[in-house]
Amino acid sequence: MSNYHVEPIDRPQALAPEAIKSLRRHQVKGLSRRQLLRYSLGLGGVLWMTEVLAGTIGFLWPNLTGGFGGKVKIGSLDDIKLANSNLPIADGFPAYVPDARAYIILMDTGKQQFIAGDDTTGDGSALNVRGLYQRCPHLGCKPNPCLKNFWFECPCHGSRYDRLGIKAAGPQYGPAARSMDRFSASVDGSGVLTLDTGKITLGPLPIAVGQPGIIPPRTPTGCI
């Protein structure tokens, strides 16, 4: 018998120790799964930190610049009249201020001036001026003042408020569950009004038309 043995050509061969050491010294081309995982986690962390930083800046920026979300200087009653010369502001019609996202209303038309002081509740009686948030408490639409009856009317679902933002009670006056929200306000010694749009007081509950606390509309029909 022959002492020769034939080895299969496809039989796996063990690597020599020198070859193993060479592979350890030289990095494999491309990314390993471990490197890919590390890079993915690192990139995810950077993106998360960027979002947190951007959100923080976005939250603080209005307070730093005096835009909505911070204190907004409105001006005196004369300034508001001049900017809305086509509207009967002196008669108590609301004036819209886009920078503050607010309506400014002279409360007692017999006193044609703002009264110096601070009002953190947003009621405005002591200052003779009220600042109302432009947002309807129902679903966030923008109520518009109607020249015909001096009331606010929401074009989305028909909620109606008197000129001072008091919601009229009753299903015929729309679905809003409360009156329009109010901003904290202050008036300096020169009669200049400033609204703190970062401090909002929720509006009171609706009042039935004809009861004390709500101003009746000037006409039985409105603009919508």
Side-chain angles (χ1 to χ4, degrees):
M1 297 179 61
S2 174
N3 293 324
Y4 293 99
H5 297 279
V6 178
E7 296 288 343
I9 192 171
D10 59 346
R11 184 174 181 178
Q13 301 293 324
L15 292 174
E18 292 77 8
I20 295 175
K21 291 180 180 179
S22 177
L23 289 175
R24 289 175 177 173
R25 285 195 298 267
H26 299 284
Q27 186 174 1
V28 179
K29 292 182 180 180
L31 291 177
S32 67
R33 283 182 293 180
R34 180 175 297 179
Q35 290 174 322
L36 180 61
L37 179 60
R38 288 176 179 174
Y39 292 157
S40 299
L41 291 175
L43 180 60
V46 170
L47 291 175
W48 179 78
M49 289 298 296
T50 302
E51 291 179 359
V52 171
L53 180 61
T56 302
I57 293 175
F59 178 77
L60 294 177
W61 186 256
N63 296 282
L64 298 176
T65 61
F68 181 78
K71 293 184 177 180
V72 181
K73 186 177 180 180
I74 306 299
S76 66
L77 178 59
D78 289 336
D79 295 332
I80 296 174
K81 290 179 181 178
L82 183 62
N84 299 271
S85 57
N86 59 328
L87 297 175
I89 303 301
D91 296 332
F93 191 78
Y96 181 61
V97 181
D99 290 345
R101 303 181 191 177
Y103 288 103
I104 308 301
I105 306 101
L106 181 67
M107 299 194 67
D108 184 355
T109 57
K111 302 175 182 177
Q112 290 293 311
Q113 63 178 352
F114 298 155
I115 300 173
D118 297 312
D119 183 2
T120 58
T121 67
D123 174 75
S125 298
L127 309 182
N128 199 33
V129 59
R130 179 177 292 175
L132 296 175
Y133 189 14
Q134 68 172 21
R135 184 178 181 274
C136 178
H138 179 225
L139 289 178
C141 296
K142 179 185 173 187
N144 299 309
C146 175
L147 266 173
K148 190 176 181 181
N149 62 10
F150 272 49
W151 270 32
F152 287 99
E153 301 176 344
C154 182
C156 293
H157 304 96
S159 293
R160 287 171 167 80
Y161 314 82
D162 73 4
R163 70 175 188 87
L164 295 179
I166 300 299
K167 172 68 171 59
Q172 70 272 33
Y173 297 112
R178 67 174 189 273
S179 302
M180 295 174 68
D181 300 332
R182 308 161 178 186
F183 290 122
S184 173
S186 63
V187 176
D188 65 15
S190 301
V192 174
L193 170 67
T194 298
L195 292 184
D196 189 346
T197 57
K199 295 180 180 179
I200 301 176
T201 299
L202 299 183
L205 294 175
I207 299 176
V209 177
Q211 296 297 316
I214 188 169
I215 302 172
R218 295 194 172 194
T219 60
T221 58
C223 295
I224 59 174

